[in-house]
Amino acid sequence: MELSGLLRALRLEGPRDGAQPPPAVPPAEQVLLQIGLLCSEGPGGAHRASVVRDLGALVEAADCQWLLAGVSPATLGELVAALSGYAAPPKQEQEAADLPSKDSAYTAAAERAADVGAVFVHLLVKLEAAKTQEALGVPTVGPILRRVVGPIYIFAATHVVERPWTNVRSRSAAQKLLVLLVQATGCESVAEFLRGKNEDEEGRFAAVMGLLKQELTKDTWKCNPATKFVFSWTLPHVTRPWLSRYLECVLPPSLLISDDYREENKILGVRCLHHIILNVPGADLCQFNRAQVVYHALYNHLYSREAPLIQAVLLCLLDLLPILERAQRQQKQARPTALYDEVLQLVLTHMEAEHRLALRRVYARALPAFVRRLGILIARHLKRLERVILGYLEVCDGPEEEARLGILETLQCTIEHAWPRMPCRLPVLLKALLKMIWDVHTDQSSTPEPVKAALLQGATECLILLDRCSEGQVKVLLAGVYSSCEENRVRECIRKVQENT
């Protein structure tokens, strides 16, 4: 094993003139302290990278007794922290840094992370082997593990998925580290490692968040580009019922990230909020008006013009509004559905004037859920909803026809829940549905046949529902159309309506 670079870096070699004999090799404690000090000075260059690689060889070849018995857990913890800092992605003081220099810095960070990851892998292997040695065992290994698992987990989460600051080697090392961490702590999965084996046991999530907390403040969360991804990758592993005990430490950073001006950060934060809503009891969310704070943060995003963000926000709101509605009902408020009305009114206002197909699809997919949640109370919005339905039925939105299929489902739900209000709207809706059936039949674009069949089926079901709530008026009005129409596909739709009882 060639360790001359490491020895020179630690200044352990004596003079070469023979005047004095070389000093004895210092104990592991002194070696590791000096290496940690060396790495904490910054990323460095090829010299420091060589030292880290030599350190990996040293840890791999060292005897467990020499490496662990004479070293305090604090020393190993400081070494792991120093190596993690050495391998961290470059700080982002300004987001508008020029891309070529940023790319080269990320490439160098990935190489450093691959070397550090190898050191951590060797260290965890040694710790696992030391558990079975009589002279060491769990009493020695346990305190060391408690010191190092948090920083090593954050390092692994930083590099486990493809990011600008990772490469194949660093991702491979991170995946091995996660496997070894789970094994070393006697768990079966990363989720169990973080949350504990049962509800009464506390996992390592609190320790991880304790380390992340200082980087998840308003002034610091953008400095390290990996911090938000480590948080958002870790959070989904902690589910109900464990997450409620950590609500105070996960809700503020989620709101902070979602409040950013960049769309990708907004979406990331909204997804974190959605996970919290799904995995924390409603009573805990409503305490101290937390749910109201989240609602207002999400509601403000509805003014965005970006389809991915609107989709994430609408899905989140659909799970948050029932919690707020139950809280309002318990407080005996007069109109517990007022928030549904508020959201739907804004959504319909945007839908009516929207011309971008991506946004029209997002709105149309979410609309049926709002109609179902409001039930008969959708009658409050029928005038504007009718205009939206008529406008969306007219416009083809591409091969998959997601917007028109969503609007047809919305119309079905509306007829089912507000059927007493439908007969007066029958002439307008019947005309729009027949026009859409004809447009689909004569469509010569690339729309697949299954999509056309789904559109025709949806329109037919709407006609059947309209006929039922109008006591057979649709059959009477369609009789003349059926006798004069020569197109088999259109006649088939009308026949289904006429034969339905």
Side-chain angles (χ1 to χ4, degrees):
M1 178 177 60
E2 178 58 48
L3 296 177
S4 58
L6 178 59
L7 294 173
R8 282 195 299 273
L10 299 177
R11 299 174 183 173
L12 302 178
E13 292 181 316
R16 298 177 181 275
D17 57 7
Q20 294 179 356
V25 176
E29 178 96 19
Q30 184 178 349
V31 172
L32 298 181
L33 279 173
Q34 291 188 55
I35 295 174
L37 181 63
L38 182 67
C39 292
S40 64
E41 294 174 358
H47 173 66
R48 195 160 293 148
S50 174
V51 170
V52 173
R53 285 192 289 269
D54 286 347
L55 174 62
L58 173 65
V59 174
E60 182 181 19
D63 177 71
C64 290
Q65 181 74 22
W66 178 87
L67 182 64
L68 303 175
V71 178
S72 67
T75 298
L76 277 174
E78 292 172 6
L79 175 65
V80 168
L83 289 171
S84 297
Y86 165 75
K91 298 290 184 180
Q92 290 187 172
E93 299 298 335
Q94 298 179 1
E95 293 188 82
D98 74 299
L99 291 178
S101 62
K102 184 185 289 188
D103 289 344
S104 61
Y106 281 158
T107 301
E111 290 299 322
R112 295 196 301 271
D115 295 336
V116 170
V119 176
F120 289 163
V121 167
H122 296 319
L123 176 61
L124 289 179
V125 169
K126 290 294 180 183
L127 288 171
E128 188 66 19
K131 287 181 181 179
T132 60
Q133 295 187 11
E134 185 176 351
L136 298 172
V138 176
T140 299
V141 175
I144 294 175
L145 275 177
R146 284 192 290 273
R147 281 278 187 164
V148 303
V149 290
I152 291 179
Y153 171 83
I154 291 177
F155 171 86
T158 300
H159 298 276
V160 72
V161 297
E162 186 172 355
R163 300 290 179 199
W165 52 84
T166 68
N167 58 22
V168 175
R169 288 179 61 225
S170 67
R171 290 194 294 272
S172 175
Q175 290 163 2
K176 290 178 183 176
L177 281 174
L178 288 176
V179 172
L180 290 171
L181 279 174
V182 169
Q183 178 183 350
T185 52
C187 301
E188 296 183 359
S189 64
V190 174
E192 189 175 295
F193 166 83
L194 288 167
R195 69 193 187 199
K197 293 184 178 181
N198 52 62
E199 188 175 351
D200 297 329
E201 179 185 345
E202 185 173 347
R204 286 88 188 165
F205 186 65
V208 170
M209 286 304 302
L211 295 171
L212 285 177
K213 185 177 181 180
Q214 56 189 345
E215 295 189 9
L216 282 172
T217 66
K218 182 179 179 180
D219 298 324
T220 60
W221 75 274
K222 286 188 177 181
C223 294
N224 186 342
T227 299
K228 61 186 179 184
F229 294 112
V230 173
F231 174 71
S232 62
W233 188 85
T234 300
L235 180 62
H237 288 92
V238 184
T239 55
R240 186 187 293 260
W242 293 273
L243 188 58
S244 58
R245 71 177 68 167
Y246 305 112
L247 182 57
E248 284 298 326
C249 66
V250 298
L251 185 58
S254 299
L255 287 167
L256 180 65
I257 296 171
S258 72
D259 195 38
D260 191 48
Y261 70 94
R262 296 180 63 184
E263 183 197 358
E264 64 179 83
N265 292 335
K266 290 179 181 179
I267 295 173
L268 201 64
V270 169
R271 287 175 178 165
C272 292
L273 290 173
H274 197 180
H275 177 78
I276 293 171
I277 291 167
L278 291 174
N279 290 278
V280 172
D284 292 345
L285 278 175
C286 292
Q287 196 175 22
F288 309 120
N289 279 334
R290 295 187 187 104
Q292 283 286 351
V293 172
V294 174
Y295 168 76
H296 288 298
L298 294 172
Y299 185 83
N300 290 335
H301 288 317
L302 290 176
Y303 291 94
S304 171
R305 302 280 293 156
E306 303 299 331
L309 176 59
I310 292 294
Q311 181 174 4
V313 169
L314 289 175
L315 291 174
C316 193
L317 279 170
L318 283 169
D319 288 314
L320 175 64
L321 289 175
I323 296 172
L324 289 168
E325 182 182 358
R326 285 194 296 271
Q328 290 176 343
R329 192 173 289 125
Q330 290 170 359
Q331 296 167 7
K332 298 182 179 179
Q333 294 187 11
R335 285 187 58 192
T337 57
L339 296 178
Y340 275 111
D341 294 326
E342 185 177 37
V343 173
L344 183 58
Q345 184 177 2
L346 182 60
V347 168
L348 290 175
T349 301
H350 290 168
M351 289 183 74
E352 195 172 357
E354 188 55 62
H355 65 278
R356 296 169 62 182
L357 291 180
L359 268 173
R360 289 168 71 96
R361 294 182 186 118
V362 169
Y363 286 133
R365 283 197 298 266
L367 200 53
F370 281 96
V371 176
R372 292 191 188 99
R373 296 281 175 86
L374 279 169
I376 185 60
L377 299 180
I378 192 63
R380 298 168 179 165
H381 306 275
L382 278 182
K383 185 176 290 187
R384 179 166 287 167
L385 181 59
E386 178 186 305
R387 294 198 299 265
V388 168
I389 289 172
L390 296 177
Y392 276 57
L393 287 178
E394 287 183 0
V395 179
C396 172
D397 66 299
E400 301 304 319
E401 293 279 14
E402 295 177 53
R404 285 211 285 199
L405 286 171
I407 285 297
L408 285 172
E409 185 181 354
T410 301
L411 179 55
Q412 291 176 33
C413 297
T414 304
I415 298 170
E416 290 171 353
H417 291 289
W419 59 268
R421 299 288 188 92
M422 290 299 111
C424 63
R425 291 175 165 78
L426 182 59
V428 176
L429 294 174
L430 181 59
K431 180 180 177 181
L433 288 169
L434 288 175
K435 183 178 184 301
M436 195 208 75
I437 290 173
W438 179 260
D439 289 344
V440 172
H441 169 66
T442 58
D443 182 17
Q444 301 298 321
S445 66
S446 58
T447 305
E449 283 301 315
V451 175
K452 290 183 179 180
L455 286 171
L456 295 175
Q457 179 64 25
T460 303
E461 291 175 2
C462 288
L463 290 172
I464 292 173
L465 290 172
L466 284 172
D467 183 67
R468 290 176 181 173
C469 68
S470 64
E471 300 180 348
Q473 292 184 42
V474 174
K475 289 189 178 72
V476 175
L477 294 171
L478 288 180
V481 178
Y482 184 81
S483 60
S484 61
C485 180
E486 298 180 356
E487 301 296 334
N488 291 333
R489 204 166 193 178
V490 179
R491 286 170 63 90
E492 178 65 17
C493 294
I494 298 174
R495 184 186 63 77
K496 289 179 180 178
V497 177
Q498 290 178 327
E499 291 180 357
N500 184 267
T501 57

